[in-house]
Amino acid sequence: QVQLVESGGGLVQAGGSLRLSCAASGRSFSSYNMGWFRQAPGKEREFVAAISCSGVSTFYADSVKGRFTISRDGAKNTGYLQMSSLKPEDTAVYYCAACSGYFVNYALTSRYDYWGQGTQVTVSS
């Protein structure tokens, strides 16, 4: 019911910023909660940030809190992840995901029904 496409990844030096976008099609994205996850080589996919369908509630992993900002634009059916003060350890493939219903267990990959294809973010020293 929902298709997600990430974009905005690339190569950036440490300390730089990058803005990821997650364009949604199908059902209105405003009806879905959204999360961002990332996966580095050899590591499990980990939670980065999440935002409720209303946009009122946001959640962040401790590792990115204060540096990343999750947001959404209902009119554009798009979610965003603004990343600042990037570190080499932020290097990973970043995925956006969506789920419906009451937003619980937002940090678990199993909670989400729809996933994008991922976009590579590489932070150099």
Side-chain angles (χ1 to χ4, degrees), residues 22-69:
C22 178
S25 61
R27 291 292 190 97
S28 175
F29 193 42
S30 63
S31 299
Y32 293 83
N33 308 292
M34 185 189 75
W36 285 95
F37 291 77
R38 66 187 182 188
Q39 187 166 23
K43 299 181 66 178
E44 294 184 1
R45 190 169 299 186
E46 66 174 349
F47 168 75
V48 176
I51 187 168
S52 62
C53 57
S54 67
V56 173
S57 300
T58 58
F59 310 92
Y60 297 92
D62 288 341
S63 60
V64 306
K65 194 172 298 181
R67 299 188 298 119
F68 291 12
T69 301

Side-chain angles (χ1 to χ4, degrees), residues 4-116:
L4 306 174
V5 179
E6 303 97 332
S7 62
L11 176 64
V12 64
Q13 290 191 336
S17 299
L18 211 58
R19 187 196 194 196
L20 305 183
S21 298
C22 178
S25 61
R27 291 292 190 97
S28 175
F29 193 42
S30 63
S31 299
Y32 293 83
N33 308 292
M34 185 189 75
W36 285 95
F37 291 77
R38 66 187 182 188
Q39 187 166 23
K43 299 181 66 178
E44 294 184 1
R45 190 169 299 186
E46 66 174 349
F47 168 75
V48 176
I51 187 168
S52 62
C53 57
S54 67
V56 173
S57 300
T58 58
F59 310 92
Y60 297 92
D62 288 341
S63 60
V64 306
K65 194 172 298 181
R67 299 188 298 119
F68 291 12
T69 301
I70 188 170
S71 62
R72 63 195 303 160
D73 187 332
K76 296 182 178 180
N77 233 31
T78 301
Y80 303 95
L81 184 68
Q82 176 65 49
M83 306 183 294
S84 300
S85 301
L86 284 163
K87 305 173 181 179
E89 49 262 47
D90 294 319
T91 295
V93 176
Y94 283 71
Y95 300 87
C96 66
C99 64
S100 60
Y102 190 72
F103 205 21
V104 294
N105 301 323
Y106 52 82
L108 301 179
T109 59
S110 60
R111 177 66 181 87
Y112 295 82
D113 303 309
Y114 307 99
W115 292 85

